[in-house]
């Protein structure tokens, strides 16, 4: 039986997890595939560095020209970044190799083009590990839920921010201290922008949108807000009102459009996704036939992510067929209306009638209020917290502009989406 010739681009944490998972379970995997892997080439920066003991040092190369695509069946791209990974993947697909990648930024930004190249060359491109690490999200949507129209996704897709928000909520430490803790533990990068400002979650949502809704958005089309401005004060008001805060990536489909956003969101404390803590990830999916399901697990780390990469490779060997899930939905555009309930915290002069006048101002814009909290602080100013009923974000912004211009309003301090 012909062996499957594998080439790996990069040998960092995930590639190491990929190889270790294979050698750990090789007997069973080979039996499932009816064949075995031959690791032919590994492209790295330093070919002399000692790495995985099962792989001979001679297969490491430091020049892509020595990464002989003609001898490979499957290329596993685990180097990260858009360039040169994108060029290498294109060359591999054009040379007739199947490709497996864990590269979320690349798939979000160039996925459409790469999928077309794969189709044109009659090969497969798989990317399970690019979203949710070890949690089988892409395969579930494409294989197991292909009978459904997916109407809603709500995901905790970034472990770093989930860890930070969990610490802020449980230990009442502010964002900066929680971020430092995440950096010390190695969850957060020294430059945490991609995680805390929502880019990482937006890339992952862009990828899921293709599979769940048949829409491949430009990541720029995703409305995005990070967690830097979340305060303990907001978290405590949320808890008092029955909500926990999570950085949620939300995709919602109506007949004509899909709405895609990443933002800190208040979610009812008894919602299953509110119980996903620390660095764990989860995706809550609503299908029009299956109803609601939730997938939960480790969104990062060598072995979980390596396990997802390896499953893609095995799937290619065993099935050699493309996903059909996303074919159900087409001609749908991305449109962000932000129709939702919102939490608004403001600081106002503590004078008689102020609360009433603000409620009237919301009413003038047709915005109905669900709850109000006012806690006296004993000074000149008092905090006021409102939760609205569903309203379009633009209309809320108009109302808040008017409210902010009133002489009795010192500052609008927070606006946070609420899922009820
Ligand atoms: N930086 C990501 C996170 C892990 O914090 O979840 C890799 O996607």
């Amino acid at each position: 039986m012909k062996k499957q010739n594998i080439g790996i681009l990069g040998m960092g944490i995930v590639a190491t997890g990929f190889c270790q998972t294979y050698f750990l379970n090789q007997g069973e995997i080979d039996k499932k595939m009816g064949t075995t892997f031959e690791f032919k080439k590994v492209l790295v920066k330093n070919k002399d560095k000692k790495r995985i003991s099962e792989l001979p040092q001679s297969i490491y190369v430091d020049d892509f020209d020595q990464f002989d695509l003609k001898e490979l069946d499957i290329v596993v791209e685990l180097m990260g970044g858009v360039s040169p990974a994108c060029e290498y993947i294109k060359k591999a697909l054009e040379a007739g190799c199947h490709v497996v990648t864990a590269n979320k930024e690349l798939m979000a930004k160039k996925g459409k083009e790469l999928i077309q190249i794969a189709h044109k060359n009659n090969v497969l491109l798989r990317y399970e590990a690019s979203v949710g690490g070890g949690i089988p999200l892409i395969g579930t949507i494409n294989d197991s839920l292909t009978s459904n129209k997916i109407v809603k996704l709500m995901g905790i897709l970034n472990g770093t921010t989930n860890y930070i928000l969990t610490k802020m909520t449980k230990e009442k430490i502010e964002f900066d201290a929680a971020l430092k803790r995440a950096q010390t533990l190695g969850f957060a990068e020294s430059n945490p922008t991609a995680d805390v400002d929502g880019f990482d979650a937006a890339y992952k949502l862009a990828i899921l949108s293709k599979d769940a809704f048949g829409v491949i958005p430009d990541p720029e089309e995703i409305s995005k807000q990070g967690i830097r401005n979340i305060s303990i004060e907001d978290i405590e008001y949320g808890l008092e009102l029955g909500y926990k805060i999570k950085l949620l990536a939300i995709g919602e489909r109506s007949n004509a459009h899909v709405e895609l956003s990443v933002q800190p969101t208040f979610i009812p404390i008894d919602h299953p996704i509110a119980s996903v803590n620390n660095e764990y990830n989860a995706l809550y999916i609503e299908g029009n036939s299956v109803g609601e399901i939730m997938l939960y697990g480790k969104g990062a780390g060598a072995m979980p992510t390596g396990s997802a990469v390896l499953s893609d490779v095995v799937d290619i060997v065993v099935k050699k067929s493309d996903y059909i899930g996303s074919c159900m939905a087409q001609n749908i555009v991305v449109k962000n209306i932000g129709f939702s309930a919102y939490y608004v915290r403001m600081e106002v002069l503590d004078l008689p009638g102020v609360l009433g006048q603000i409620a009237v101002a919301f009413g003038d814009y047709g915005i109905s209020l669900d709850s109000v909290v006012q806690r006296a602080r004993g000074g000149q100013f008092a905090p006021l917290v409102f939760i609205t009923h569903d309203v379009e974000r633009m209309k809320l912004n108009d109302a808040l502009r008017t409210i902010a211009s009133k002489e009795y309003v010192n500052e609008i301090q927070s606006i946070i989406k609420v899922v009820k």
Side-chain angles (χ1 to χ4, degrees):
M1 187 170 287
K2 181 181 172 294
K3 287 183 180 172
Q4 294 295 315
N5 292 329
I6 309 287
I8 308 173
L9 297 167
M11 189 45 78
I13 292 172
V14 176
T16 306
F18 161 70
C19 294
Q20 281 173 344
T21 307
Y22 178 63
F23 293 119
L24 179 70
N25 300 325
Q26 184 175 3
E28 290 196 14
I29 289 170
D30 286 357
K31 214 190 266 170
K32 275 183 208 159
M33 293 191 300
T35 180
T36 191
F37 291 158
E38 179 156 350
F39 292 92
K40 285 282 189 185
K41 288 282 184 309
V42 181
L43 181 72
V44 287
K45 281 199 186 109
N46 175 2
K47 66 183 166 65
D48 300 318
K49 189 171 159 189
K50 292 261 174 289
R51 299 160 202 262
I52 310 254
S53 56
E54 289 89 344
L55 298 182
Q57 205 63 29
S58 59
I59 68 170
Y60 289 93
V61 295
D62 56 10
D63 179 356
F64 186 67
D65 287 338
Q66 291 163 16
F67 193 84
D68 186 5
L69 292 168
K70 285 194 293 299
E71 65 176 359
L72 301 177
D73 298 304
I74 301 173
V75 170
V76 180
E77 184 276 311
L78 300 170
M79 54 199 300
V82 173
S83 186
C86 186
E87 294 75 42
Y88 293 170
I89 289 180
K90 278 185 195 169
K91 285 191 179 150
L93 295 169
E94 282 161 358
C97 301
H98 303 294
V99 172
V100 173
T101 178
N103 192 329
K104 66 213 152 182
E105 185 180 0
L106 176 64
M107 283 310 294
K109 291 181 174 168
K110 304 281 181 188
K112 198 171 185 171
E113 187 188 351
L114 294 176
I115 288 163
Q116 281 164 354
I117 296 173
H119 283 173
K120 206 168 129 203
N121 289 280
N122 212 15
V123 288
L124 301 173
L125 172 65
R126 288 282 160 97
Y127 44 89
E128 178 67 72
S130 65
V131 187
I135 319 172
L137 303 180
I138 310 275
T140 301
I141 291 172
N142 280 297
D143 280 339
S144 313
L145 294 177
T146 198
S147 55
N148 277 256
K149 182 160 103 180
I150 291 176
V151 287
K152 189 169 184 179
L153 299 176
M154 276 202 307
I156 294 178
L157 302 178
N158 183 270
T160 303
T161 45
N162 201 37
Y163 176 85
I164 292 172
L165 291 176
T166 303
K167 291 295 154 212
M168 290 176 73
T169 303
K170 288 193 172 165
E171 296 178 26
K172 310 283 176 246
I173 51 172
E174 289 288 356
F175 170 80
D176 288 332
L179 170 62
K180 274 213 183 77
R181 183 100 59 93
Q183 283 169 327
T184 310
L185 289 171
F187 294 133
E189 306 281 335
S190 53
N191 177 359
T193 300
D195 292 320
V196 302
D197 295 322
F199 292 93
D200 178 81
Y203 293 148
K204 292 167 178 170
L205 181 61
I207 297 168
L208 290 177
S209 169
K210 171 208 165 283
D211 295 293
F213 306 122
V215 178
I216 308 183
D218 182 325
E220 296 292 316
E221 285 181 288
I222 296 179
S223 145
K224 189 167 45 298
Q225 193 194 323
I227 64 162
R228 284 184 202 267
N229 296 326
I230 299 300
S231 66
I232 296 294
E233 205 172 345
D234 289 323
I235 290 175
E236 289 195 327
Y237 275 117
L239 291 171
E240 188 177 329
L241 291 158
Y243 298 98
K244 244 183 175 181
I245 199 150
K246 294 287 171 193
L247 183 73
L248 288 191
I250 302 181
E252 221 164 346
R253 178 183 169 172
S254 70
N255 284 336
H257 73 269
V258 62
E259 187 142 354
L260 301 170
S261 62
V262 171
Q263 72 266 287
T265 306
F266 278 125
I267 188 103
I269 284 173
D270 58 2
H271 191 290
I273 214 161
S275 64
V276 177
N277 286 321
N278 296 316
E279 72 277 24
Y280 278 84
N281 282 199
L283 183 68
Y284 176 87
I285 307 173
E286 218 177 290
N288 67 344
S289 172
V290 70
E292 299 162 14
I293 62 170
M294 194 168 94
L295 300 159
Y296 166 89
K298 287 189 176 157
M303 296 300 269
T305 314
S307 121
V309 174
L310 180 59
S311 296
D312 267 347
V313 177
V314 172
D315 201 53
I316 285 176
V317 175
V318 173
K319 290 210 222 131
K320 291 236 161 51
S321 67
D322 214 345
Y323 286 143
I324 54 164
S326 61
C327 301
M328 285 184 69
Q330 269 152 17
N331 303 324
I332 292 184
V333 293
V334 179
K335 202 154 129 193
N336 288 318
I337 299 167
F339 188 68
S340 168
Y342 288 93
Y343 159 104
V344 179
R345 176 165 62 90
M346 60 184 80
E347 190 173 65
V348 300
L349 282 177
D350 197 1
L351 293 173
V354 165
L355 173 58
Q357 290 187 58
I358 293 171
V360 168
F362 274 122
D364 288 344
Y365 281 86
I367 299 172
S368 171
L369 298 173
D370 178 277
S371 354
V372 181
V373 177
Q374 178 177 13
R375 274 208 218 116
R377 253 193 332 219
Q380 186 191 7
F381 295 109
L384 268 186
V385 167
F386 298 90
I387 292 192
T388 69
H389 284 299
D390 285 348
V391 54
E392 284 182 14
R393 179 63 197 248
M394 219 141 77
K395 197 192 260 189
L396 178 71
N397 288 349
D398 290 345
L400 291 178
R401 246 193 310 277
T402 301
I403 291 169
S405 71
K406 306 285 185 194
E407 66 286 358
Y408 45 81
V409 175
N410 186 38
E411 195 187 2
I412 310 275
Q413 289 160 315
S414 313
I415 308 167
I416 298 173
K417 185 180 170 85
V418 177
V419 170
K420 287 184 180 164

